[in-house]
Amino acid sequence: MSNMDIEKLIEQLTIEEKIQLLAGNDWWHTFPVPRLNIPSIRMSDGPNGLRGSRFFQSTPSTCFPCGTALAATWNKDLLYKGGNLMAEEAYIKGVNVILGPTCNIIRSPLGGRSFETYSEDPVLSGAIASSLISGIQDKDIIACIKHFVCNDQEEDRLGVNAIVTERALREIYLKPFEMAIRQSRSPPKAVMTAYNKVNGVHASQSEELLTNILRKEWGYEGLTMSDWYGCYSAEKSIQAGLDLEMPGKARFRTVDYLKFVLRVNEFKIETIDRSVRNVLNLVKEASKAGIAEDSPENESTRNPKTSKTLQEIGQESIVLLKNDSKILPLTKDKIKGKKIAIIGPNAKVAQYSGGGSANLNASYSVTPYEAISSKLKKDYPDVQLEYAEGCQIDKYLPNIFKYTTGDIIGKFYLDPPGSKRSGPFDVLHLDSSEILILDYLHEKLVTNIFYATFENDFVADESGTYEFGLTVFGTAQLFIDDKLFIDNKEEQKIADKFFFGVTTDEKKNEIYLEKGTKLQIRVEFGAPGTSAVFKDPTQKGALFYGARMKTDPQVDIDNAVKLAEESDYVILCIGSTRWWESEGYDRTTLDLPLESNKLIESILKVKQDTIVINQSGSPVTMPWVDSANTLVHAWYGGNECGNTIANVIFGDHNPSGKLSVTFPKLLSDNPSYLNFGSFNGEVLYGEDVFVGYRYYEKLSREVLFPFGYGLSYTTFKFKDLEIKTDEDNLNLTLLVENTGDYDGQEVVQVYIEQSNPNIIRPVKELRDFQKVEVKAGAAKKVEISISIIEATRYWDNSKRKWISEKDEYKVKLGNSSDNILAEGSFKTEKTKWDL
Ligand code: BGC
């Protein structure tokens, strides 16, 4: 197919076929035209691993650290390698187009998808995205950068109108996309539009964004596709420049409707051809990978090469925030013969990803407890290890699967329970009670009206009161030993929660059970079209049911404190989960969930030297920070999350991660605080270009941990800065000296500050960066070249043009935005416009 003659195909295609090509064939595939040998190509989420083409019963996949973690490596070469690995995963899953990277901006750390995207800074975002895209596309897999543009919150995400000045749009929100398209070695071959409106027009039908800026200004030649169900019209979207409606079958671009549009001369066939050409080009580009149509989706396996790359990325993303008493690394001499306590709700859970479409069924995962205990067993056999959970942080009662002795059996029917129905048309064995049926396909399912029964046994592993919970997109009732126990069918209340923000509240009930009691659980499910509140016949729905034995939170904390007191060292694993940070809804607070802060404070009171390890995809508040001597931030770390944490705390890896987003002291300190959410369908980007550190610095507002911050087990000096300019570029050379005892890596962060701008500009802005590895006692030369225009320009709203003013510009090189280690300046001789 790589010799496809696209113009000839356009001549040969019928009008019906052309229209069909402009929408997906199903959830994950493009439309095929077998008579002309045009295959269907497969797409898959996404930004931190390839799920394959199924949410429901998805094949086990390799999971990378989350987006903010990838950015926290500040390592372009490593992420190129990461992109290569993502492409290799695509081959395993028979996927041609990866739906990522996600390049939206962390305006507010509350954004549900903050973990999935990279940063509050557009240059860091654009550079990370470009490395990943190059790594992916150099192996002939296509990257689809998303969501173009201003999809920076989840509330009202389909309809909210982002009101943003052109300057902020250009300098902050469009910038990562522009960098990936204009400056990267390999521009992405697909772009996914955002759900929301930008200045009054939905991104998926904005001619300004899709044609004027993307294609005419930036010279983009690839395909544009809608987000899933994010195409809201037929002719408007096509005219604006949106090539593909996803998923299929078409909701708007139906053959009958578009033929009518053509017949009444709303637009001409050439307008359709323009998008058909882009779809065919995508298919042609995809064919270079040689992936056969409808290839099988294979499981990603745990193999040493993949694990090694995941560990490299994961450990480089980990940020050492405090090491005041130099407890870390935990070397042999410190812990020989000692007792270590691992405490915390995230110790025995692998927090490998945030929630929503970026989440996947991880092929394996290593918890911090597993990694630390196996390391101790191997290298420090005389160390005694003990564990206490300390508190629970589940947002929903957790997956019931751990209490079953067999599988969960799902039986699918066309008729409701209680009716005279013939046997199930499908029977499936499931290993989770988190059941996302949304992309389930079966030949018997001609409409989306269907029913299912899920059955499993339940064995109480201790005596106590057990809570059961049930939430659903559709209807559901949970029966215990045939008696209705939880009803989520009648009197349903829609909540903005689980499953992309569309489910009912979790309904709960509890029961006392003696250890070993065995129950039969049955859940009767009806698709959303059968629900009086959802009434959505286009969707297949989802459900989640869970259970847990109730405990007394104070007793849990007391037990943990007692263990801490009795131990020489305490490793406290706290943080968030994918249920708190997810696509579909924003967080409502930056605080750690439930009893976390109380647990941390109580432990720190008896052990100030506790090693606190936080795992969250975006900033959290830390009211106890002053009493913690040792603090590590470890994000959501992919399959290898436990091992990467262990490698850092035992010193097998010297930490070099730098925060990709500022941790504010309080939520109300954040620049978007007064303007986050949807107010009558609008969100005002009132902070303008002063996003993240651009705001905190301008207002001299103290933060918890600044952008770009991160410690090492060694120390570095920057020396001998030389600044030279030529016609186009600012050329910097610098020596980075490792002045400590450990080999390590440091990030040279280049910030530029204009001395006398004619408008208010941020104090300084990141323009480029480079990570270097330097042996203890050695020095390494770093060379960085930046386009002068890129380093100096800003967007002039009144003239609607870029401008670079004649002025003096300070060059500030730091290893954090708040720690500048070398400084100089350069001058520009002329003011330039239209750049
Ligand atoms: C998300 C996209 C994703 C798509 C397909 C949407 O809900 O916004 O990022 O690629 O679903 O899963």
Side-chain angles (χ1 to χ4, degrees):
M1 271 282 100
S2 51
N3 55 0
M4 263 167 90
D5 182 339
I6 288 175
E7 294 312 315
K8 187 148 171 238
L9 284 172
I10 289 178
E11 276 168 29
Q12 291 169 323
L13 285 161
T14 64
I15 289 185
E16 287 80 2
E17 286 165 341
K18 286 180 178 181
I19 294 173
Q20 281 167 303
L21 278 166
L22 299 192
N25 196 33
D26 61 27
W27 258 70
W28 305 110
H29 294 88
T30 58
F31 185 81
V33 186
R35 81 176 179 92
L36 295 174
N37 288 326
I38 301 172
S40 163
I41 62 170
R42 184 177 293 163
M43 312 179 184
S44 165
D45 290 307
N48 48 249
L50 273 279
R51 185 179 49 245
S53 69
R54 285 196 304 268
F55 271 110
F56 186 45
Q57 290 204 296
S58 51
T59 1
S61 300
T62 295
C63 186
F64 290 71
C66 66
T68 37
L70 297 176
T73 67
W74 293 63
N75 190 334
K76 298 174 195 170
D77 295 339
L78 182 60
L79 293 179
Y80 176 82
K81 197 165 147 192
N84 283 169
L85 180 57
M86 287 182 184
E88 284 161 26
E89 288 294 307
Y91 283 94
I92 294 174
K93 298 276 183 294
V95 162
N96 297 101
V97 181
I98 297 180
L99 302 173
T102 305
C103 244
N104 298 108
I105 292 288
I106 305 181
R107 253 195 92 218
S108 164
L110 292 179
R113 297 180 89 166
S114 296
F115 76 88
E116 182 185 326
T117 187
Y118 301 128
S119 176
E120 65 191 24
D121 183 85
V123 169
L124 179 60
S125 304
I128 297 300
S130 299
S131 297
L132 286 162
I133 293 166
S134 303
I136 293 168
Q137 296 197 156
D138 280 0
K139 289 199 171 271
D140 292 331
I141 298 296
I142 291 164
C144 175
I145 194 168
K146 66 190 187 182
H147 311 83
F148 188 66
V149 61
C150 291
N151 182 178
D152 310 307
Q153 68 180 46
E154 294 305 284
E155 187 177 332
D156 192 13
R157 66 173 177 159
L158 305 191
V160 71
N161 180 21
I163 302 177
V164 51
T165 64
E166 189 161 10
R167 178 174 171 212
L169 192 61
R170 297 284 185 155
E171 290 184 28
I172 307 287
Y173 298 96
L174 287 172
K175 180 82 185 177
F177 294 93
E178 183 183 7
M179 280 175 72
I181 285 162
R182 281 183 126 175
Q183 293 169 26
S184 85
R185 201 162 49 76
S186 172
K189 296 192 172 103
V191 170
M192 185 192 292
T193 53
Y195 282 126
N196 47 279
K197 291 180 187 169
V198 180
N199 293 329
V201 185
H202 269 115
S204 59
Q205 45 200 42
S206 163
E207 190 169 351
E208 175 65 2
L209 290 171
L210 297 180
T211 300
N212 297 347
I213 295 180
L214 189 63
R215 294 196 189 275
K216 292 192 182 152
E217 243 182 73
W218 298 351
Y220 178 66
E221 289 175 343
L223 169 119
T224 54
M225 70 173 83
S226 73
D227 197 345
W228 269 229
Y229 299 110
C231 172
Y232 308 124
S233 62
E235 66 269 46
K236 260 201 221 164
S237 66
I238 295 175
Q239 253 163 341
L242 182 75
D243 300 318
L244 186 64
E245 171 184 345
M246 284 306 288
K249 303 278 189 213
R251 276 218 275 198
F252 291 97
R253 299 174 171 196
T254 58
V255 170
D256 285 350
Y257 183 69
L258 278 177
K259 277 173 79 176
F260 173 77
V261 170
L262 285 170
R263 188 159 69 79
V264 298
N265 282 339
E266 190 65 24
F267 55 61
K268 298 215 179 321
I269 190 68
E270 285 75 18
T271 309
I272 298 249
D273 286 349
R274 185 178 72 177
S275 283
V276 169
R277 189 170 289 116
N278 291 333
V279 174
L280 294 178
N281 253 319
L282 186 84
V283 174
K284 184 172 177 176
E285 285 294 332
S287 69
K288 290 183 187 157
I291 296 171
E293 197 175 4
D294 286 327
S295 296
E297 280 181 42
N298 296 312
E299 289 192 13
S300 309
T301 50
R302 181 177 190 166
N303 67 66
K305 192 178 151 240
T306 305
S307 302
K308 186 166 171 271
T309 306
L310 294 175
Q311 274 196 32
E312 280 169 6
I313 298 174
Q315 63 203 14
E316 281 206 28
S317 77
I318 292 180
V319 185
L320 179 62
L321 294 174
K322 283 184 103 177
N323 196 16
D324 295 354
S325 46
K326 301 272 182 286
I327 285 268
L328 292 179
L330 289 180
T331 44
K332 260 200 176 120
D333 51 310
K334 289 184 192 158
I335 58 175
K336 198 170 178 331
K338 303 277 186 211
K339 177 170 167 177
I340 298 185
I342 302 190
I343 296 175
N346 272 346
K348 285 198 173 180
V349 184
Q351 297 299 354
Y352 57 79
S353 170
S357 61
N359 185 41
L360 44 76
N361 175 10
S363 48
Y364 71 94
S365 59
V366 183
T367 69
Y369 182 86
E370 285 163 346
I372 293 167
S373 59
S374 69
K375 174 104 194 141
L376 290 176
K377 249 185 232 141
K378 193 167 140 265
D379 299 341
Y380 311 81
D382 60 347
V383 171
Q384 197 192 333
L385 183 68
E386 296 215 15
Y387 162 78
E389 189 180 22
C391 72
Q392 295 176 342
I393 53 168
D394 299 313
K395 187 170 183 186
Y396 298 96
L397 291 165
N399 200 329
I400 214 162
F401 193 66
K402 80 167 199 177
Y403 293 105
T404 65
T405 59
D407 289 345
I408 295 173
I409 313 289
K411 297 178 183 159
F412 291 76
Y413 301 89
L414 293 176
D415 303 305
S419 67
K420 249 206 200 157
R421 61 186 183 187
S422 44
F425 65 82
D426 201 4
V427 178
L428 299 172
H429 288 244
L430 312 175
D431 60 5
S432 169
S433 59
E434 182 188 351
I435 304 171
L436 305 181
I437 313 175
L438 69 163
D439 55 358
Y440 169 57
L441 293 174
H442 193 281
E443 60 193 13
K444 284 276 168 55
L445 268 192
V446 185
T447 73
N448 288 326
I449 301 296
F450 68 98
Y451 303 84
T453 303
F454 299 96
E455 290 170 318
N456 60 274
D457 63 12
F458 178 98
V459 182
D461 55 5
E462 279 180 68
S463 299
T465 301
Y466 283 79
E467 258 193 311
F468 287 75
L470 175 64
T471 177
V472 64
F473 176 29
T475 59
Q477 293 179 314
L478 187 145
F479 297 82
I480 293 187
D481 292 341
D482 277 335
K483 275 203 217 80
L484 182 61
F485 191 67
I486 303 178
D487 189 350
N488 211 330
K489 182 175 175 189
E490 311 301 336
E491 292 178 26
Q492 291 187 296
K493 229 170 81 208
I494 298 187
D496 194 10
K497 295 211 181 109
F498 163 69
F499 185 64
F500 301 94
V502 271
T503 39
T504 61
D505 270 335
E506 182 182 37
K507 290 200 178 176
K508 293 184 187 173
N509 198 356
E510 56 186 57
I511 183 172
Y512 180 83
L513 299 172
E514 290 292 339
K515 180 175 176 174
T517 310
K518 192 170 183 173
L519 309 172
Q520 282 308 317
I521 310 287
R522 191 178 84 247
V523 176
E524 296 287 359
F525 167 81
T530 71
S531 152
V533 294
F534 292 109
K535 290 191 201 118
D536 186 348
T538 66
Q539 298 287 332
K540 297 192 174 101
L543 75 155
F544 184 37
Y545 59 107
R548 179 178 61 202
M549 198 186 83
K550 277 175 104 173
T551 55
D552 178 337
Q554 191 55 49
V555 173
D556 292 344
I557 291 179
D558 291 347
N559 289 341
V561 169
K562 186 161 174 286
L563 176 62
E565 278 174 322
E566 293 162 1
S567 306
D568 300 299
Y569 290 94
V570 178
I571 300 172
L572 180 57
C573 299
I574 45 105
S576 193
T577 72
R578 69 187 170 90
W579 299 103
W580 298 101
E581 287 189 77
S582 171
E583 176 177 343
Y585 45 90
D586 299 307
R587 284 191 292 166
T588 53
T589 164
L590 294 189
D591 297 342
L592 285 165
L594 308 179
E595 302 295 313
S596 303
N597 282 337
K598 202 166 163 197
L599 170 70
I600 303 162
E601 272 154 16
S602 310
I603 300 280
L604 287 172
K605 226 177 248 165
V606 298
K607 214 19 106 270
Q608 184 153 11
D609 270 339
T610 294
I611 299 160
V612 183
I613 298 175
N614 179 57
Q615 277 192 271
S616 59
S618 48
V620 294
T621 48
M622 300 179 178
W624 35 263
V625 73
D626 291 338
S627 26
N629 286 341
T630 318
L631 180 59
V632 175
H633 181 67
W635 316 100
Y636 299 128
N639 300 102
E640 288 286 327
C641 61
N643 286 331
T644 59
I645 290 171
N647 288 351
V648 166
I649 61 180
F650 290 107
D652 301 302
H653 176 80
N654 184 356
S656 62
K658 305 278 177 181
L659 291 180
S660 43
V661 53
T662 310
F663 276 46
K665 284 198 157 163
L666 298 171
L667 173 61
S668 53
D669 289 341
N670 183 261
S672 70
Y673 181 64
L674 295 174
N675 294 300
F676 185 73
S678 177
F679 309 95
N680 296 325
E682 290 184 344
V683 55
L684 178 67
Y685 282 32
E687 71 285 6
D688 202 43
V689 297
F690 296 93
V691 178
Y693 68 90
R694 287 167 167 77
Y695 173 85
Y696 300 117
E697 290 191 348
K698 199 76 186 171
L699 270 65
S700 308
R701 183 157 294 179
E702 234 182 88
V703 297
L704 189 57
F705 294 105
F707 174 76
Y709 175 80
L711 304 171
S712 162
Y713 296 149
T714 188
T715 44
F716 293 94
K717 251 194 195 152
F718 290 4
K719 338 192 278 200
D720 304 342
L721 169 64
E722 274 182 37
I723 300 179
K724 289 197 180 125
T725 51
D726 58 30
E727 182 89 352
D728 301 320
N729 292 316
L730 166 67
N731 301 309
L732 310 174
T733 53
L734 174 84
L735 265 194
V736 177
E737 193 183 352
N738 182 339
T739 49
D741 300 331
Y742 291 86
D743 297 349
Q745 291 159 287
E746 184 56 293
V747 180
V748 179
Q749 305 173 24
V750 184
Y751 296 91
I752 305 284
E753 174 185 342
Q754 184 175 352
S755 297
N756 304 293
N758 275 316
I759 58 162
I760 298 183
R761 294 194 79 174
V763 173
K764 63 180 191 297
E765 296 180 89
L766 183 77
R767 291 301 178 205
D768 203 355
F769 58 91
Q770 199 169 304
K771 193 166 198 177
V772 274
E773 202 168 337
V774 193
K775 293 247 177 278
K780 217 177 227 168
K781 188 167 165 189
V782 172
E783 292 178 321
I784 298 178
S785 178
I786 310 173
S787 133
I788 293 178
I789 295 298
E790 283 297 324
T792 58
R793 72 177 186 172
Y794 67 82
W795 183 263
D796 183 332
N797 274 331
S798 62
K799 299 210 170 54
R800 300 201 61 211
K801 281 178 180 171
W802 288 106
I803 172 172
S804 163
E805 289 177 338
K806 172 176 168 0
D807 202 352
E808 187 200 37
Y809 293 85
K810 291 188 186 129
V811 181
K812 298 184 162 184
L813 276 63
N815 63 356
S816 163
S817 62
D818 77 333
N819 194 28
I820 300 305
L821 298 169
E823 219 175 310
S825 67
F826 70 98
K827 284 189 175 146
T828 53
E829 302 306 330
K830 266 204 309 231
T831 293
K832 294 183 181 168
W833 299 89
D834 244 348
L835 310 159

